[in-house]
Amino acid sequence: MNCKKLITAALLAVALQLQAQEQMYVGGDISLLPTYEENGANYMDKDGQKITDLLSFLKEQGMNAMRVRLFVDPSRAPSAHKGQGVRQDLDYVKKLGKKIKDAGLKFMLDFHYSDTWADPSKQATPYQFTIVNKPAKEYIYDYTKDCLEKLKAAGATPDFIQTGNEISWGMMYDSGCKLEAKSDWSGYKDTNWDNFSTALKNAGKACREVCPEAKIIIHTEQAANTPLVTDYYKRLQQYGIDYDIIGTSYYPYYHGTLVQLNKTLTAFETQFPEKKIMVVETGCGYHWKMGDNETGYPLTYEGQQQFTADLIVTLKAHQNVNGLFWWFLEANEYGLNWNTQRVTDNWYNASLFDNETGRALPALYELKNFSEGSAGLSHLSVDGFDDGYWYTIDGIRSLSGPSRSGLYIHNGQKVTIR
């Protein structure tokens, strides 16, 4: 066998190995963790042993990524929203983001582009965006770039960036970026897509300039309506929106059964095969009912764990799904004096800790099964192919870099060029 054939055979074997070990990301949104810790919340493992470092504990349970929301100026949020946990300004996120990175975890930054909650019912233009001499759809570039530069300088460079939170209906509604559905809810009208796409392009441009290695996520919450949400991402294609990952919320008490989620995930994979998919928000109650709809799972520890196990089975049936994040993972009011130390005005009872005992719930330990067998490309080294050259799987070696799309080995790592 000649040298070229030897290189080709070796690279094919390496490529197959790397594909089999593709990184899976599992974790949760922990945006209120510093506040819980400051107020003395008592975190314990399932056996009642005190947890002294929650991030290290979560990492030991197989988690490898954490998500944090960012508001523009949460001091302007309504008092009711502050009581729900709206407080994450840039200084707050810099500190928490650095803590996540220092713990050896990936950091997902969730831009809300609002002074308060941004979700389907409300996407209010932040005050800062209204007092500058630029339309909001353009100023979003300046704001995004400034935030990312300051996060990088603080040692909190994001690995994933959501340019908006649950933006199925657009963002900054009162700035001309609100979308509308057709009368039969099968897709969208053309209303405001030009404005909305301009805002997304400008946000994405800032991400690419400041954090070129980060993956951009476009986050929607319409898993219950497959025709509508697939029309959404088709329109992103038509407008040339630059992003990497389809992000979806999935709560069984809002978005239907796992059968429905599976239908939407299948549509995503079929119609957008080049995109990875992440469930960036999920949750299920363990005691009191959440939302208006029944989930099909009992409101017990075991019910929450079974939901988690079934969700993981559903997700792992889809090759393009590589992320699972539990929302408000860290909620835990145990050990606090509710007269003086409460973190939120009402208990969130779909956490992975019991508010009444402080103990980690079985579902927390179940989550590791999502990433089981995932080694992580950032830690792989391929002997013999870390000499600075770019190798294609057909044995061609180049020092100058890829000239076309495809799978390459470079400095001991798999690199996909699209």
Side-chain angles (χ1 to χ4, degrees), residues 230 263-274 277 318 320:
T230 51
K263 178 182 176 182
T264 297
L265 294 176
T266 299
F268 285 159
E269 285 190 313
T270 302
Q271 299 183 44
F272 316 103
E274 75 284 2
I277 305 164
H318 295 273
N320 285 6

Side-chain angles (χ1 to χ4, degrees), residues 10-42:
L11 286 169
L12 283 170
V14 168
L16 289 172
Q17 178 192 28
L18 289 171
Q19 287 173 337
Q21 295 177 325
E22 184 173 4
Q23 180 71 71
M24 306 288 278
Y25 299 97
V26 64
D29 190 304
I30 56 166
S31 296
L32 275 176
L33 178 58
T35 310
Y36 277 109
E37 291 179 333
E38 289 165 10
N39 283 277
N42 192 351

Side-chain angles (χ1 to χ4, degrees), residues 138-296:
E138 295 177 9
Y139 182 69
I140 195 172
Y141 166 81
D142 302 80
Y143 168 76
T144 303
K145 185 174 183 179
D146 180 65
C147 288
L148 294 177
E149 288 176 341
K150 289 175 179 175
L151 285 165
K152 283 187 71 172
T157 304
D159 301 285
F160 304 98
I161 305 171
Q162 283 187 218
T163 50
N165 186 77
E166 293 191 333
I167 54 173
S168 299
W169 301 109
M171 59 173 64
M172 301 182 295
Y173 289 168
D174 46 348
S175 295
C177 298
K178 185 176 183 179
L179 307 178
E180 295 181 30
K182 294 178 180 177
S183 58
D184 63 357
W185 288 73
S186 64
Y188 289 86
K189 299 179 181 178
D190 294 335
T191 312
N192 289 332
W193 272 94
D194 288 343
N195 290 337
F196 175 56
S197 65
T198 297
L200 274 186
K201 286 179 180 179
N202 282 324
K205 179 183 177 185
C207 296
R208 296 299 192 208
E209 290 177 356
V210 183
C211 300
E213 301 301 317
K215 301 300 183 184
I216 298 175
I217 301 171
I218 304 296
H219 174 202
T220 56
E221 79 306 316
Q222 288 292 319
N225 188 334
T226 306
L228 182 78
V229 77
T230 51
D231 183 53
Y232 178 95
Y233 288 102
K234 285 178 185 175
R235 286 175 180 257
L236 295 190
Q237 279 185 332
Q238 293 165 6
Y239 278 90
I241 304 301
D242 176 22
Y243 73 103
D244 305 292
I245 298 169
I246 293 173
T248 185
S249 295
Y250 171 68
Y251 297 98
Y253 42 89
Y254 291 140
H255 302 125
T257 66
L258 289 170
V259 172
Q260 171 57 38
L261 175 63
N262 185 68
K263 178 182 176 182
T264 297
L265 294 176
T266 299
F268 285 159
E269 285 190 313
T270 302
Q271 299 183 44
F272 316 103
E274 75 284 2
K275 302 298 183 185
K276 290 298 183 182
I277 305 164
M278 288 185 173
V279 174
V280 296
E281 289 186 25
T282 194
C284 185
Y286 63 85
H287 190 78
W288 286 279
K289 183 178 178 181
M290 308 291 297
D292 297 327
N293 300 319
E294 298 296 335
T295 67

